[in-house]
Amino acid sequence: MAGDGMTQSSVGKYRKDEGWCSKSLLRNYLYIFNFFFLIGGGIVLAVGVWSILTEHEFITLLSGVSYPLTSYLLVAAGIVAIIATFIGCLGICKKDRCFLLIYILMLLLVFLLEAKAGILAYIYREKAYNDLQVHLNETFSKYYGFDETKTSAIDNLHQEASKVT
């Protein structure tokens, strides 16, 4: 053992930051996770904003509030995810447990918001179709030509349906 340049004391003792599960390695993994979480939060935010901006005119034809609620939940989840990534990076850089605890709680909040939005979207998928079938004739006969927003929404819905077929 004397010929290999290592003594017994150096073999048996490792620093805390050495090895497969060192603090610096875990910190780097958390930075990588934060990067992907930031990208995911941006995508969720973009989908929510796209849903609000492009499909907003058809909401007047639906009687429920589940569709707009799902869109706003996606926007909220995206914003919270982006804020959480910055708080997480701050907690990692400063090695502050308070920031890391807030980061964990915000991750939980994002998960709950996205789960709720997903469940609402799944449940509302059938309801929106049925709602359109039931209320479209009523809306057409009562409001077409009298209510400008509903008339415009019906015209745009007809144009979109014509493009598909």
Side-chain angles (χ1 to χ4, degrees), residues 76-91:
I79 290 171
V80 171
I82 291 170
I83 292 170
T85 58
F86 290 117
I87 289 176
C89 285
L90 259 168

Side-chain angles (χ1 to χ4, degrees), residues 1-161:
M1 211 162 20
D4 64 359
M6 298 180 77
T7 63
Q8 174 118 13
S9 62
S10 67
V11 172
K13 295 181 180 178
Y14 288 106
R15 291 183 2 181
K16 289 182 180 178
D17 285 345
E18 292 179 358
W20 288 99
C21 194
S22 67
K23 289 181 184 178
S24 62
L25 180 68
L26 291 175
R27 234 184 338 262
N28 289 336
Y29 282 153
L30 199 51
Y31 279 127
I32 292 169
F33 174 76
N34 263 346
F35 174 73
F36 287 117
F37 195 66
L38 178 67
I39 298 297
I43 290 171
V44 168
L45 178 64
V47 167
V49 168
W50 170 81
S51 176
I52 290 170
L53 293 179
T54 59
E55 307 299 327
H56 185 68
E57 63 185 336
F58 299 124
I59 291 175
T60 59
L61 300 176
L62 301 173
S63 63
V65 296
S66 297
Y67 180 81
L69 180 63
T70 303
S71 300
Y72 291 126
L73 279 174
L74 286 175
V75 169
I79 290 171
V80 171
I82 291 170
I83 292 170
T85 58
F86 290 117
I87 289 176
C89 285
L90 259 168
I92 298 166
C93 287
K94 294 187 176 214
K95 300 177 184 174
D96 189 356
R97 290 184 181 183
C98 182
F99 277 136
L100 292 174
L101 180 63
I102 292 170
Y103 171 68
I104 290 169
L105 292 175
M106 289 181 84
L107 286 179
L108 180 64
L109 178 65
V110 167
F111 172 74
L112 293 174
L113 284 172
E114 288 178 355
K116 184 167 182 141
I119 290 169
L120 279 175
Y122 180 75
I123 291 171
Y124 190 62
R125 178 178 51 116
E126 292 295 322
K127 187 177 182 296
Y129 180 74
N130 293 336
D131 195 27
L132 271 175
Q133 281 183 333
V134 170
H135 296 304
L136 193 56
N137 286 334
E138 178 184 335
T139 303
F140 186 75
S141 63
K142 283 185 180 179
Y143 299 109
Y144 191 78
F146 300 110
D147 186 352
E148 186 175 322
T149 58
K150 292 194 182 200
T151 302
S152 174
I154 291 170
D155 289 342
N156 289 336
L157 181 65
H158 180 69
Q159 289 174 356
E160 290 292 323

